[in-house]
Amino acid sequence: MTTTATTGAERTIADARERIDALDDRIIGLIQERMAVSAVVQETRIASGGRRVHLSREMEILGRYRDALGKPGTPLAMTLLELCRGRI
């Protein structure tokens, strides 16, 4: 591999990593926003005499992630749900 090709490849990798970092920052921000919205839902549900967790809603979320991302979507959704509602 020539120096020019190496430099080009290194630049491509560096640019892609910068984009990944920016995407990760956005994802983290969205998760934090989701956590805040989920807290409002939980507080409202509890205040109105309901349960903190709505299992059929969680099953919908698990299905949506599985359908969109395949098998790895399920544990990702479980992690997201745990972040947003805590452990059950």
Side-chain angles (χ1 to χ4, degrees):
M1 188 179 257
T2 67
T3 303
T4 304
T6 302
T7 303
E10 289 170 355
R11 182 73 251 155
T12 298
I13 291 168
D15 290 346
R17 285 181 176 163
E18 284 180 27
R19 185 159 183 230
I20 287 170
D21 290 344
L23 289 167
D24 284 343
D25 289 342
R26 287 172 48 199
I27 291 167
I28 290 166
L30 288 169
I31 291 169
Q32 290 170 331
E33 183 178 348
R34 189 188 193 288
M35 291 168 71
V37 172
S38 181
V40 170
V41 170
Q42 288 179 56
E43 290 166 9
T44 304
R45 192 182 305 120
I46 290 168
S48 66
R51 294 178 155 181
R52 181 175 67 93
V53 176
H54 193 266
L55 294 178
S56 64
R57 172 70 176 143
E58 290 199 358
M59 294 306 294
E60 290 174 23
I61 293 166
L62 291 170
R64 182 179 313 139
Y65 276 75
R66 183 187 59 249
D67 291 347
L69 303 173
K71 188 176 178 181
T74 301
L76 177 62
M78 287 297 295
T79 298
L80 184 61
L81 289 169
E82 186 174 328
L83 282 168
C84 291
R85 54 112 161 98
R87 296 197 124 172
I88 54 173

